[in-house]
Every structure is written in C-alpha cells, then in structure tokens.
Amino acid sequence: MENKIIPYGRQDITEEDIKAVIETLQSDFLTQGPKVKEFEDKFAASVDAKYAVAVNNATAGLHIGVMSLGLKEGDRVITTPITFAASANCARFVGAEVWFADIDRDTYLLSLVKTRELIESKPKGFFKGIIPVDFGGLPIDLEAFRALANEHNLWILEDACHAPGGYFLDSKNQKQFCGNGVYADAAVFSFHPVKHIACGEGGMVTTNSEEVYKKLLLLRSHGITKENMSENQGGWFYEMQTLGFNYRITDFQAALGISQLARNEKGVIKRNEIAQKYKDAFEGKFKVQILPDNFLNAHHLFIIEVEDRKGLYDYLHSNKIYAQIHYIPVHQLPYYKNIGYNEVNLSNSEDYYSKCISLPMFPTLTAEEQDFVIEKIISFHSKK
Ligand SMILES: *Cc1c(COP(=O)(O)O)cnc(C)c1O
C-alpha cells in the first residue's frame, strides 16, 4: 500500500488562516500596519509577557536580542550544543565568543550544574550572558538559571523557539510560561512552518523590560525613531540613533500569525496527547526526554533514543516516515570546530546525538498515521 509522506513536523493552514491573509492583502497596509501590533499584543498576552516585538525570523530576533542586552565584540556567552545553530550564531554576529556547556542527560537541556562549573572555572566577569534553549518544547528551569545568573551578573536570553505554550510551576507554585520574561531578560520565538505557529517566516522577541523593548524596536527598523520630534519640526522628521536593521515582519504574515496563535493552546494539548501515545507504546523499549514534575512540554519534538539510529532513520524513510535528527551538536559543525576556543567536555551532548531521532509530532498527525509510525518502529526494534 502506498502511504503518504509523514514528516516530523507540518504546518496546519485553515480556511480561516487564508481568509485572514487575504483580508490583509486587500487592506491599506502590507507592512508597518495594524496587524503587526495586534499580533505583538496578542502574543505577549498569550505568554504573559509585558512587551513583544515581531520580527522577520527568530534568527533576526536572537541578533537584536543579544544586542539589546548589550552584547559586544569580545564578550562571551554560554549556550547548549543541542540546539539549532542560530542560538549560538547570534553572539557571533556581534563578534562575541560562544562557549558551550553540556546538557543534562535526562532532559536534554543545558545543564545547570555544567553551566555553573564552566562559569566558576573562569575569572569573574568572563561571561556576559546565557542563552538557554527550551529544547524540544521542554521549558528550562529558568528560576534556577536566574539565581545562577544573578550570582555572576549575567543576562539570560531564552531561546523559546520550540516552546510557545510550554510552562513550569516555580518554587512559589506560580505558572511560568516560556518567554514570559519573569526569570529571563528576553526570549525569542520562531514562526517557521515546522514550529507551532506558522507565518512562512517570522519571529517574536518578548521581554518585561521597557529599556530592552525600546532597543528592540529601534534595532528592528534601521535604528530610526521619531521619538524626539518636537512641534518645531516638520512631519518628515526622524533620527537614526544607532545602526539598526530591517528585521520587520509584514502585516499579512502577522495576520496569519494571529489566526494561528488562536489555535496554539489546543495544538499544545494535542501534541501532549500524541506524546503520551508514543510514551505508552515505547514504555520500557526506548529512552525518551524526561519531563520534570510540574513542567508542561510544548512538544515541538518527540525524541526517542535508539542504538541503531542510522538503521532506524533509513528504515523509516524507506517507509516515507521522515523522522529527523535534532541536532548535530553545534560545537561539531565545521565553523565552530575551526574557531576552536572551547575546551569543555561535552560528552553528554555527543552521546545523546549518537542515539536521538525525532518522530512525527504535529497536531494534525492522525491516529492512523501515528499507529503506522509506532508499528514500523516496534517492528524494526524487535528484528534486532
Ligand atoms: C527554528 C529555530 C531558530 C531559528 O528560527 P528562524 O525563525 O528559522 O530564524 C532558532 N533557535 C531554535 C532553537 C530553533 O528551533
């Protein structure tokens, strides 16, 4: 029987989404109009953050994110090797050094212990910030990272690209949504189609700091502002106060984002149902990402660890199940290898990478499709 390709992630575009985009295409503003602000306000509300700045992609958001936190040439940041390259690249864009600390072998997230060890192995002031990632959709314990960051006067930029809708309960039993800006100084989300909310391309930076918010606005749009306009000046007045970029999102992408955002909460619930079905089917067979108590995984990914990873990958692909690997450790990519200023042991990350495989995980995955995926994995496993 010929089955359809089942990817690891897939966007869901509804008639309502299409209508929202068409309406915006027929309106007065294709860009710099009201939909961008509406998207920002609704997104900020959805994650409980004070401010949100929409951008053309998360990589741009990470770039102006680190700049708004004051990162400069020669400074140093810490991030995880198990992430998409952009989490590290943003520091390189401004000429800063990227140091990697190892992951926790159970959660696959940047290890608090290893991060502390790295910081304390260096002189005071060596590092400027930490870029932790809510990898796979599992929120990182930012309350604990904040305490560490405060001890060493570091900022935190949360890469929340995998985790809109994820949260944890902190020590005061308060629900802390990824990107809410309570423990991190700012956070970044992606609206690439494999992520929860699809805009084609798009991103969002959230923060609770007015100062960071103003810098983000300036950097997103050429460093130009009208804020110092007085009555004596003509309407054309503007100032370029700093060297910024054009990292704006369009209004029709924002309209799509607004429409998609409205379904995200339901999508996260569905992702968790899919995850539970995988966990039940694979119980005792494969290691999966451990969910700490009081954490909700937003489940961008569902990962299992297998010994014959290449074998399973090839077998699934031959059955049109397009499982994927997340990620080749960033420190092993040639660009970072060539820089070579990292002397840290990253054996957890390397061991994880040798076994990980991400299975199809998206809200419109049907029960039949998931059954087919599970059946193929179990049958491959039992042949071993
Ligand atoms: C997707 C992703 C990015 C980059 O997002 P873009 O919107 O494609 O620029 C950055 N970090 C992580 C962890 C991602 O998954």
Side-chain angles (χ1 to χ4, degrees), residues 57-59 62 83-84 86-87 133 159 161-162 190-192 195 201-202 327:
N57 57 68
T59 304
L62 285 162
T83 186
F84 183 57
S87 313
V133 180
D159 184 335
C161 286
H162 294 185
S190 171
F191 306 130
H192 182 280
K195 311 287 166 71
E201 299 281 356
Y327 291 94

Side-chain angles (χ1 to χ4, degrees), residues 225-282:
T225 174
K226 282 176 173 285
E227 70 180 358
N228 291 329
M229 189 165 131
S230 67
E231 281 172 28
N232 308 331
Q233 276 130 356
W236 64 87
F237 172 87
Y238 64 78
E239 288 178 319
M240 186 187 132
Q241 297 180 347
T242 190
L243 187 62
F245 309 93
N246 179 353
Y247 283 170
R248 294 186 303 257
I249 195 170
T250 66
D251 268 55
F252 48 96
Q253 288 170 305
L256 180 56
I258 293 164
S259 187
Q260 293 251 315
L261 175 63
R263 294 199 303 281
N264 187 51
E265 210 177 315
K266 269 196 0 242
V268 170
I269 292 169
K270 188 71 208 296
R271 286 170 185 272
N272 274 277
E273 289 168 3
I274 292 167
Q276 193 56 51
K277 185 166 164 177
Y278 278 137
K279 282 184 196 168
D280 292 344
F282 300 146

Side-chain angles (χ1 to χ4, degrees), residues 137-190:
L138 180 60
I140 189 145
D141 183 351
L142 285 176
E143 186 180 23
F145 270 88
R146 181 78 262 167
L148 174 64
N150 285 352
E151 277 177 54
H152 297 276
N153 200 20
L154 307 175
W155 49 252
I156 298 175
L157 178 62
E158 176 187 7
D159 184 335
C161 286
H162 294 185
Y167 63 78
F168 68 98
L169 299 184
D170 69 8
S171 60
K172 297 192 190 74
N173 223 29
Q174 300 285 313
K175 197 187 258 196
Q176 303 292 349
F177 278 102
C178 293
N180 72 355
V182 169
Y183 294 116
D185 298 276
V188 179
F189 294 87
S190 171

